[in-house]
Amino acid sequence: MTANDPGVNALEPYWMPFTANRAFKQRPRMISAAQGMHYITPDGRQIIDATSGLYCVNAGHGQPAVVAAITEAAGRLDYSPSFQFAHPQAFELAGRLAALAPGDLDHVFFASSGSEAIDTAMKLALSYHRARGEGQRTRFIGRERGYHGVGFGGISVGGIPANRKMYGAALGGIDHLATTYDRARQAFSTGEPEWGGELAEELNRILALHDPSNIAAVVIEPVAGSTGCIPPPKGYLERIREITAAHGILLILDEVITAFGRLGHTFAADRYGIVPDLMTFAKGVSNGAVPLSGVLVRKGIYDAHMVGPEHLPELFHGYTYSAHPLAVAAALATLDLHRDLGLNGRAADLETPFAELMMSLRDEPGVLDIRPVGLMCGIDLAPKGGAFGKRGYEAMERAYHDHDLYVRIAGDTMVIAPPLVATGADLAEIRDKLAVTIRASA
Ligand SMILES: Cc1ncc(COP(=O)(O)O)c(C=O)c1O
């Protein structure tokens, strides 16, 4: 192909991720700028961002302090080797994150994406057990409908069939807890559903099957996000923490979406009063402006690795872009913003009005369930003509083209997770635009 070939769609070379490429290239949804609560299209339309991009722009788009921090870092230190060398801001950020994290989650391993963070956490679980002489602990337990990114570790503990089926056996030695979602018992619950806490006991059944001494870790999202926002039933996460702790099994809490205010706290762990052993974060940490992710690690896990000859790395793992200077600068500025704008408190204050606005969509055509928690909500739409995902796709298209609304879909579920800087008027606008979109796609 050459650029001048007649008839070649200029959009063709870019193989878009998690995208219906052929449909997109026939009728593209382009975004060329962003500011505050809005995306701006090439033809100048302002589109309200109902999902903070992909749950990452929690402080709103184009925050001047974040832009300035990235610009300054780019001019001062474009890149610093992450192996055997470091730059001072990386330590500053690690210290600030450790101070924010609950319990003795005192150490941070940096990466760039959520997928890398999960694979890192899984590797740390294995190396920790091995360092302690329990190298037989190699099995992991994930959950149906869980999403932990697209690395082989993440898809293996993840429970989204379409993300797994083309990729062979992936990692062996993995079991899955059942999803906690049962529409018949929980539909239209606000926040954590009353029903379903007892499903945590299923973990004991899986442990008995393999013997707990063979299990390395349980990997779980506090709120299952990408599958369509499934809040944990009351008591569920607390019980999972109790069972894992009782058997020396690590709990990896995947907070890639939930960290940094989405649930009205810095971490979901704070909302549920639990301290995991390893906690992943990404997205909101740098407001989505430069990719940054990481794993917060309990002190004992770090300490267990600090053995062997002092001139050799204690852990043979890391990324070229771990603690990249631009990403770290973006994150430091983002943490300042969270503090100065009181974003956790803002999200907490908005939780009830947001839930009420979302629930007011209940009588729109074909709405099967609405699940608000924090500043996040899944809305299930009845599929159209028996074709999974068709209605959801149409809703997303119409939202962009006809109603100036950006909303993320998962199959026939719309996931709403607005920036935490949204005003009451922004949330009301999102609600009204969702209403016309749902009607238009019915
Ligand atoms: C809970 C969770 N874990 C991991 C990931 C993967 O993150 P990334 O796309 O940055 O690899 C995501 C992405 O949405 C996520 O929601």
Side-chain angles (χ1 to χ4, degrees):
M1 183 198 293
T2 71
N4 297 326
D5 277 352
V8 170
N9 184 339
L11 305 182
E12 208 47 32
Y14 175 25
W15 188 342
M16 298 172 64
F18 276 122
T19 296
N21 274 259
R22 289 160 300 162
F24 180 96
K25 289 166 189 178
Q26 279 165 37
R27 201 180 179 210
R29 295 173 295 279
M30 295 288 196
I31 292 165
S32 48
Q35 195 56 49
M37 287 291 299
H38 292 91
Y39 287 115
I40 297 146
T41 63
D43 56 351
R45 285 186 300 128
Q46 297 242 342
I47 299 222
I48 194 158
D49 181 358
T51 318
S52 305
L54 290 174
Y55 322 93
C56 45
V57 190
N58 291 2
H61 294 275
Q63 280 286 358
V66 178
V67 176
I70 298 168
T71 310
E72 189 278 330
R76 177 174 46 79
L77 177 66
D78 54 356
Y79 178 78
S80 150
S82 51
F83 305 164
Q84 307 282 15
F85 295 83
H87 59 102
Q89 284 191 314
F91 295 94
E92 184 187 346
L93 180 61
R96 285 183 66 178
L97 290 168
L100 287 170
D104 60 350
L105 287 157
D106 287 348
H107 295 271
V108 188
F109 197 99
F110 287 113
S112 299
S113 68
S115 302
E116 290 171 345
I118 274 293
D119 279 17
T120 298
M122 291 174 70
K123 289 173 80 173
L124 288 177
L126 293 174
S127 60
Y128 167 67
H129 289 307
R130 204 183 141 107
R132 289 162 53 245
E134 292 199 34
Q136 85 286 354
R137 287 188 184 264
T138 57
R139 301 189 68 94
F140 288 93
I141 299 169
R143 190 164 53 163
E144 291 167 4
R145 298 193 66 170
Y147 184 71
H148 303 288
V150 294
F152 273 104
I155 63 167
S156 301
V157 290
I160 298 192
N163 293 351
R164 300 159 50 88
K165 78 171 182 192
M166 304 303 280
Y167 308 115
L171 288 191
I174 312 253
D175 289 84
H176 290 79
L177 291 159
T179 173
T180 61
Y181 184 63
D182 183 340
R183 186 175 293 147
R185 292 182 155 103
Q186 303 163 330
F188 300 103
S189 298
T190 292
E192 292 77 7
E194 297 293 335
W195 180 86
E198 58 276 24
L199 291 174
E201 301 306 327
E202 201 199 356
L203 181 54
N204 280 318
R205 183 182 61 76
I206 299 175
L207 297 191
L209 180 66
H210 297 294
D211 197 84
S213 65
N214 289 316
I215 315 289
V218 171
V219 186
I220 217 161
E221 298 165 274
V223 173
S226 293
T227 187
C229 186
I230 302 179
K234 288 203 170 84
Y236 177 87
L237 290 171
E238 295 87 326
R239 185 69 186 125
I240 294 282
R241 176 64 285 191
E242 271 173 25
I243 298 171
T244 47
H247 295 288
I249 296 166
L250 300 182
L251 176 61
I252 301 175
L253 204 59
D254 187 348
E255 294 237 22
V256 162
I257 286 182
T258 48
F260 304 105
R262 183 57 53 202
L263 299 183
H265 297 266
T266 305
F267 298 101
D270 302 325
R271 180 170 171 122
Y272 300 110
I274 57 172
V275 182
D277 300 294
L278 298 147
M279 186 159 75
T280 56
F281 62 86
K283 297 189 187 258
V285 66
S286 55
N287 211 31
V290 186
L292 180 76
S293 72
V295 187
L296 278 149
V297 181
R298 287 183 86 161
K299 180 173 167 15
I301 296 177
Y302 175 83
D303 289 346
H305 285 86
M306 294 303 123
V307 292
E310 291 209 359
H311 67 282
L312 289 179
E314 297 91 358
L315 182 74
F316 282 82
H317 178 71
Y319 302 96
T320 300
Y321 299 120
S322 286
H324 189 282
L326 271 63
V328 168
L332 286 169
T334 300
L335 293 187
D336 288 348
L337 272 180
H338 270 264
R339 181 194 59 213
D340 298 345
L341 301 178
L343 290 185
N344 292 344
R346 238 191 117 77
D349 291 347
L350 287 172
E351 176 161 358
T352 300
F354 173 70
E356 287 169 2
L357 283 167
M358 294 298 107
M359 283 297 184
S360 75
L361 295 164
R362 187 174 178 150
D363 295 327
E364 296 301 334
V367 171
L368 302 178
D369 190 13
I370 303 178
R371 296 178 294 275
V373 64
L375 265 199
M376 194 171 169
C377 181
I379 301 180
D380 293 347
L381 302 177
K384 219 169 165 173
F388 170 78
K390 192 161 187 299
R391 178 152 184 213
Y393 188 82
E394 273 183 38
M396 174 185 67
E397 263 211 310
R398 284 179 179 267
Y400 171 92
H401 289 296
D402 304 336
H403 305 301
D404 294 346
L405 169 72
Y406 163 77
V407 64
R408 170 91 185 125
I409 49 145
D412 292 303
T413 299
M414 300 193 295
V415 189
I416 297 94
L420 313 179
V421 293
T423 61
D426 293 324
L427 296 182
E429 181 183 338
I430 288 171
R431 182 250 168 242
D432 290 347
K433 289 185 165 175
L434 287 168
V436 288
T437 300
I438 293 169
R439 270 174 242 153
S441 67

